[in-house]
Amino acid sequence: MSLPTGNDAAEVRAKLAERRRSGLKRRHAAERRFRVFGRLAIAIGLFFLVALLYSVAGKGFTAFQQTTITLPITFSADVIDPDNQRRSDQNLLLTANYPLLVQDALAKTLGIDLANKAEMREAMRMISRSSRVELRDVVLKDPGVIGKTQDVRLLAAADIDSANKGQIDLSVPETSRRVSDQQLAWMNELKADGRLKTSFNTGFFTHGASSRPESAGIGVAFVGTLYMMGIVLVLSLPLGVASAIYLEEFAPKNRLTDVIEVNINNLAAVPSIVFGLLGLAVFIGFLGLPRSASLVGGLVLTLMTLPTIIIATRAALKAVPPSIRSAALGVGASKMQAVFHHVLPLAMPGILTGTIIGLARALGETAPLLLIGMVAFVADYPATPLDPATALPVQIYMWAGEAERAFVERTSAAIIVLLVFLILMNLTAVILRRRFERRW
Amino acid sequence: MHVFLIIVALVALFGAGGFFAARARALALARQGSTRLNSRPVHHASFVAIVTVVPAALVMAVWMIASPLLIGAEIRKDFPESVRLEPVSQQSLTFNTVTSVAYGLRQLSPEARAQVSADTDQLRQVLARNGIPLAANPPAFVLQSAERMNALSAKSSYAMAAIVLAVSLVSLALAYRAVRPAFKARNSVERVVLATLLIASSIAIITTVGIVLSMLSETLRFFSQVSPIDFFFGTVWDPRFAAAGEAGSAGQFGLIPLLAGTIYISLVAMAVAVPIGLYAAIYMSEYASSRLRAIAKPLLEVLAGIPTIVYGFFALVTVGPLLRDLSAELNNLLTGNYRNFIEAQSVLTAGIVMGIMLIPFVSSLSDDIINAVPDSLRKGSLGLGATQSETIKRVVMPAALPGIVGALLLTASRAIGETMIVVLAAGVAANLQLNPFEPMTTVTVKIVNQLTGDLEFNTPQTLVAFALGLTLFVITLCLNVYALYVVRKYREQYQ
């Protein structure tokens, strides 16, 4: 191909330059678009994170406050113990008609005629039905209170609690909301008297499962979680570290160790629910361990966490340079001594980081626990790991299925607590890594 | 239980005693100084402790597994003729009653026990008061069997105590005598430690074998009641829970609708996660300043650390209602009718939220792989005048493609096995349809559904969960193995 000359050539060159310029423009536009897509992707990811946290936190933080109503309860002996038999009959104080006391106190405080059944019923709906238990506990603690009048702080019913926190839309007609105008009027009256207050909700941290949102708490689930995490830590850390040491430092390269290695990588990716099926079939079906027990939960989570710890430990051991091993062997240590006295201590920070991350994953795991029956309704603290228990994520799952509005608040609050723990654990892992990071 | 604790404490005590005695002896030998010790005192001490504890513990373990079986057989042999003619399930029911009566008797005070033995009618009330409910007042032979069982187990546990302690003491004495300068204690101890390490690392294999065996056996039981063809090719899922104790209520267990739902939801999730995750990874590894990377990368990885139950809740109370209301508004704009066309629980809700969960998996896996592409390729391309995005699109990505495919397969296997999001957001109706705005259900949802509750593993309704679990296990295992193979093979190309 011959090059054009003269005017022709100038024209062609101009055309080429033009094409290059427009082509360059197009290419630079494409470049900019590509960058924008990249930024957009990161922005969307972060937006989802913020939206998730905001939605949970916004719904949940109100649950840390709880409305209570203080009523002057007259522990009338006529109601609790009309025939004065409380010394001979132990069940008497347990089964007395405590709601009647609340009713009397309410009638007196709000000035309602006791004979007005409809109005009385409406007023009673303002107080949580758990007031029966609260009053019973007061009396059981000190039977001397019978016959006296005492101010008792009672939980407000969930709807009153919501209304007091401003979560109920008051603009809708009275018939289609859960709090009546009369109740609102009483509420304001009580508030003006200083009887209706909101305070920090300690019950949320100490109570167990309850069908009433105002008296439901995460205390019992938390204890179950602690038991499980304890079992996971005690079993998975030594087992995981031991097997990682074997595979990394001692194992001969043969079929068996190859199989073990592939196996561990695969186990790390097996769906968690399959571990639940394993626990159900082996621990409960075959070994006959009790259902719903935190022991079984702990064992299942241990099997799940092991691969994570093994993989992290192997990475940490691999990061220790061979010169350390050679030096130890050179001064006459056995292979075992070199590993346990020199390599392992140097790898410890990495091992701990991996362990914490594994535990954090186990802490949030729900699916396998559903299968081994930890969805039971548990209202009492488990005394041993063999007692029926539940765990924090499972409690969240159960509350998420409740229809009542007030449970959404509780669920979100429980999630906040769970996330706080996860963040603390991950932070510890990051700090550990920073603090002990060593460049060879 | 008491005896058990006492034995454990005593054996531990012997071990500790052996440890210190051997250490003292080794130190004394070393101080004599006539010959050098082959091993350090601590090795001698550990050797003695190990020899004292391990054989005794093994004997005890074997005893504790074997003796209940032997005692059980002995008790069954004494059942009256009428019981022994009954079917096996009925016999084991009787045997369970005996076991719980025996347990209850052990809880009673001696006087109460004597009283109960004299008057069988009281047995049920007395046991109920101790927290052991019985369905009916047991026949007299049950009480006799229970008493005999208690006597036998008491005898067995005393025998065990004697033998275990004897084994422990004898081995202590033998090991202590072995503490001599020439004895290679270290080698023996290290062999034991090595064996322990090997056993620990075989737990992974045991777990896998456990998963496969337990699921396989229950699955085979399921297939003995329902034909595998109906399971794998059936298009109707209708398990029809039977009323308690009512046998033979056949349901339809078609896998296809569940599998379709699982794959559909995973596809939607991947459609959300792959572009976002991939672009984020590219930007992070090719463009971002180190400051942005230091902030954005850990923040995105927070998404990976959030428990999936939280995502499920987010889908249930935020995303689902949002989509539903949005669709109602949209419908209003288009047709003037406030009917929502997206259900709150739908393929779309579950898919979007699961996609959010998967973003960090895609991005951090692909980040690794993009970073593994050697810089010389980029430099060459840039040197020829390509822009950065052209380099990425035409050079880096094709080079990284096999690895990224592996990463996406791993992500897909996660999506298929995910449970909590779909349990809360996808619905329970096993529909076989194509509309992403309608609820569908997945394999994992049905596993949870079939197994929550207090059920026995003898009906197809519960056993089907194991068949579903095995299917899920096999699918994700194949994906994982293939993905690991691809990722590993690709990595080696540049090393």
Side-chain angles (χ1 to χ4, degrees), chain A residues 46-58:
Chain A
L46 294 182
F47 165 76
F48 281 142
L49 177 66
V50 171
L52 183 103
L53 295 181
Y54 176 80
S55 124
V56 168

Side-chain angles (χ1 to χ4, degrees), chain B residues 207-261:
Chain B
T207 309
T208 314
V209 172
I211 289 176
V212 172
L213 281 188
S214 62
M215 294 215 290
L216 206 59
S217 68
E218 305 288 330
T219 304
L220 288 179
R221 274 172 69 194
F222 171 71
F223 282 145
S224 71
Q225 300 175 27
V226 174
S227 131
I229 294 168
D230 290 347
F231 175 70
F232 285 113
F233 300 105
T235 54
V236 179
W237 175 269
D238 178 19
R240 248 180 275 164
F241 275 101
E246 185 189 317
S249 63
Q252 279 174 288
F253 302 92
L255 176 68
I256 301 287
L258 310 187
L259 214 53

Side-chain angles (χ1 to χ4, degrees), chain A residues 18 128 182 186 415 438:
Chain A
E18 175 57 32
S128 166
Q182 175 70 69
W186 283 330
I415 289 177
R438 193 190 288 244

Side-chain angles (χ1 to χ4, degrees), chain B residues 320-342:
Chain B
L322 183 79
L323 289 176
R324 186 192 55 206
D325 297 347
L326 216 61
S327 75
E329 291 291 338
L330 214 64
N331 205 4
N332 182 36
L333 279 182
L334 295 176
T335 63
N337 166 0
Y338 263 117
R339 225 179 57 79
N340 60 298
F341 57 87
I342 304 182

Side-chain angles (χ1 to χ4, degrees), chain B residues 345-408:
Chain B
Q345 285 193 327
S346 66
V347 171
L348 196 63
T349 312
I352 288 178
V353 175
M354 202 195 281
I356 299 175
M357 180 199 94
L358 293 177
I359 290 173
F361 287 104
V362 177
S363 76
S364 65
L365 282 170
S366 354
D367 199 32
D368 285 350
I369 288 153
I370 292 172
N371 279 331
V373 175
D375 235 14
S376 56
L377 290 184
R378 289 186 191 85
K379 295 239 168 74
S381 165
L382 291 172
L384 285 173
T387 63
Q388 220 174 338
S389 63
E390 283 162 350
T391 307
I392 294 167
K393 276 186 264 186
R394 308 239 171 102
V395 179
V396 179
M397 290 316 277
L401 197 63
I404 285 179
V405 169
L408 296 186

Side-chain angles (χ1 to χ4, degrees), chain A residues 228-229 232 301 304-305 357-365 369 393:
Chain A
M228 286 195 318
M229 288 298 117
V232 173
L301 293 183
M304 266 189 63
T305 318
I357 289 169
L359 278 181
R361 258 191 63 194
L363 178 64
E365 203 49 70
L369 303 182

